Amino acid sequence: MTPSYDVIVIGLGGMGSAAAYHLAARGQRVLGLEQFGPAHNFGSSHGGSRIYRQAYFEDPAYVPLLLRAHELWEKLAVDSGHEVFTETGGLMIGREDSTAFAGTLRSAQQWGLDHEVLTAADIRRRFPTFTPSDRDVAFYERKAGLARPEATVTAHLDLARAHGAELHFAEPVLGWEADGAGRKAWVVTDRGSYTADRLVIAPGAWAPKLLPDLGVSVTVERQVMYWFQPEGGVGPFTADRHPIYIWEDPDGTQIYGFPALDGCEGGAKIAFFRKGVPSDPDTLDRQIHPEEIAAMAEYLRPRIPSLPGRFLKAAACMYSNTPDEHFVLAQHPEHPQATVACGFSGHGFKFVPVIGEIIADLATEGTTKHPIALFDPRRVRV
């Protein structure tokens, strides 16, 4: 007899693990399926840190979700006992008309978020690791910080199990189907088949393969994260002295970075934002090439001169991009018993706890109180 559940969750990365927890906590009989191991490093939910910020240059419509996410990050830390979130403050640096600065400021003003505007001299005085040009300014947000992706996924998986979820790892999904009446769904894996009243499909970079009829083009890009040991040590880069940051140049190039998190030899993490190459998740180039390291170090020297002191390590991950870089989070347009969460376009992890809550709403109630109209897949057909 085919095993049956209330909800099957496909993909147990950032979004899927949160969904499994929220659904199980509501008393749903949950099966979670993951093709790799728990909290793995083959997708988009690894690398030790992800930026959290509330004032949002991508669109002010995200702010209510970010405020709720902050509440849920704090709750997750208490409930799980894991260190999942650290408040460090955050800087958005650029020219006054840059997206990073102007868009963030506009978002903060619309929602009445606490912030400061800093001149280049202010930046150099308060955060001496940075060397902005005289024309640069910065938006400073005290409540910004960072989330720990591996710890977050682990925390959600542990809590999902504690609420009765059945989680299967190293079990790739080969396909899924849904009946036309919207009442039943089937999932086939390399081990067997399962049925459920509802599905949650949170496939990360595998969205193009598992959701070919979604109606939204999701393209996958390889991205690289770097860790450098600063000249003179990590002292000036510790979380009590050095905020998370996004820095935009006049040509639109953005880098983002973090304080030093992992002790005196852990270095500080830095990466380009949206400077990747199209890739297939199953054949992703995970080797980091010398010219990539050299380019990152060269870019850093005039901006954060002490950071590229000594290269420590790097890792590849993936962005799953929609054409407008907004998420897909909704019931499937053709299959109402399936909730889809994908296309997080390199800026989704900060939302993980609230995305899990929203997925649970959609899967159990068919609607949510959270504002998610921006994420309807029918908004764009590409």
Side-chain angles (χ1 to χ4, degrees):
M1 182 174 179
T2 302
S4 183
Y5 300 85
D6 294 328
V7 188
I8 297 175
V9 179
I10 300 175
L12 293 174
M15 307 307 174
S17 64
Y21 158 59
H22 281 278
L23 286 161
R26 297 184 188 190
Q28 298 292 299
R29 293 179 299 114
V30 175
L31 171 65
L33 298 170
E34 168 58 53
Q35 65 177 321
F36 301 112
H40 61 82
N41 63 353
F42 298 108
S44 304
S45 298
H46 63 282
S49 56
R50 290 290 187 274
I51 283 177
Y52 170 84
R53 49 196 167 94
Q54 293 184 348
Y56 219 60
F57 61 75
E58 287 84 349
D59 195 301
Y62 286 88
V63 172
L65 300 180
L66 289 159
L67 298 177
R68 176 57 176 161
H70 190 275
E71 297 173 350
L72 291 173
W73 283 116
E74 293 181 331
K75 184 176 186 300
L76 180 63
V78 172
D79 291 349
S80 69
H82 288 276
E83 184 183 345
V84 295
F85 180 83
T86 302
E87 197 170 278
T88 64
L91 284 177
M92 305 294 116
I93 306 172
R95 302 291 171 85
E96 287 190 353
D97 62 350
S98 66
T99 298
F101 175 81
T104 303
L105 180 62
R106 182 167 56 251
S107 174
Q109 291 172 336
Q110 178 173 329
W111 288 98
L113 301 177
D114 184 41
H115 66 278
E116 298 177 64
V117 172
L118 307 181
T119 65
D122 294 331
I123 300 168
R124 297 187 199 105
R125 176 177 52 83
R126 289 177 58 175
F127 307 105
T129 50
F130 298 105
T131 57
S133 74
D134 289 338
R135 293 183 60 189
D136 282 329
V137 293
F139 175 100
Y140 178 73
E141 178 181 9
R142 183 180 58 81
K143 283 190 170 292
L146 60 94
R148 293 280 204 168
E150 292 91 344
T152 297
V153 172
T154 299
H156 278 134
L157 294 176
D158 289 348
L159 289 170
R161 277 196 205 90
H163 285 90
E166 182 180 330
L167 306 179
H168 294 191
F169 297 96
E171 185 169 353
V173 169
L174 304 179
W176 63 275
E177 295 182 12
D179 69 17
R183 289 192 295 267
K184 212 71 176 174
W186 296 265
V187 175
V188 177
T189 75
D190 67 349
R191 296 188 201 171
S193 60
Y194 309 93
T195 186
D197 298 329
R198 293 170 300 282
L199 291 182
V200 169
I201 306 171
W206 286 263
K209 300 184 178 185
L210 281 178
L211 294 167
D213 60 345
L214 184 59
V216 176
S217 172
V218 177
T219 57
V220 177
E221 289 187 354
R222 173 184 178 271
Q223 307 287 336
V224 180
M225 305 171 283
Y226 305 85
W227 286 259
F228 290 93
Q229 182 71 359
E231 295 176 7
V234 298
F237 288 84
T238 56
D240 58 338
R241 302 175 67 182
H242 189 78
I244 62 94
Y245 57 94
I246 296 176
W247 193 328
E248 182 177 334
D249 273 357
D251 66 359
T253 301
Q254 292 183 348
I255 57 172
Y256 67 95
F258 300 83
L261 301 174
D262 298 315
C264 61
E265 290 299 318
K269 177 182 164 186
I270 182 79
F272 286 108
F273 188 50
R274 302 194 194 286
K275 194 178 180 180
V277 296
S279 299
D280 183 303
D282 291 319
T283 58
L284 181 73
D285 180 7
R286 297 189 180 276
Q287 181 180 353
I288 309 304
H289 304 280
E291 60 271 22
E292 294 177 305
I293 300 166
M296 183 80 257
E298 185 66 24
Y299 194 86
L300 281 174
R301 286 190 182 97
R303 297 164 179 83
I304 313 175
S306 63
L307 182 53
R310 177 166 56 93
F311 171 73
L312 296 176
K313 64 179 180 178
C317 72
M318 292 176 283
Y319 287 1
S320 303
N321 299 317
T322 63
D324 60 8
E325 297 173 357
H326 294 310
F327 310 158
V328 175
L329 181 59
Q331 291 179 313
H332 193 291
E334 306 299 328
H335 309 290
Q337 65 269 59
T339 298
V340 294
C342 65
F344 289 95
S345 301
H347 65 111
F349 199 89
K350 62 184 69 64
F351 296 87
V352 157
V354 70
I355 296 295
E357 184 173 67
I358 291 167
I359 290 172
D361 290 343
L362 294 175
T364 58
E365 306 294 334
T367 187
T368 181
K369 65 181 179 181
H370 293 293
I372 62 168
L374 186 62
F375 312 138
D376 191 323
R378 293 168 295 187
R379 73 184 184 272
V380 57
R381 291 284 175 174
V382 178

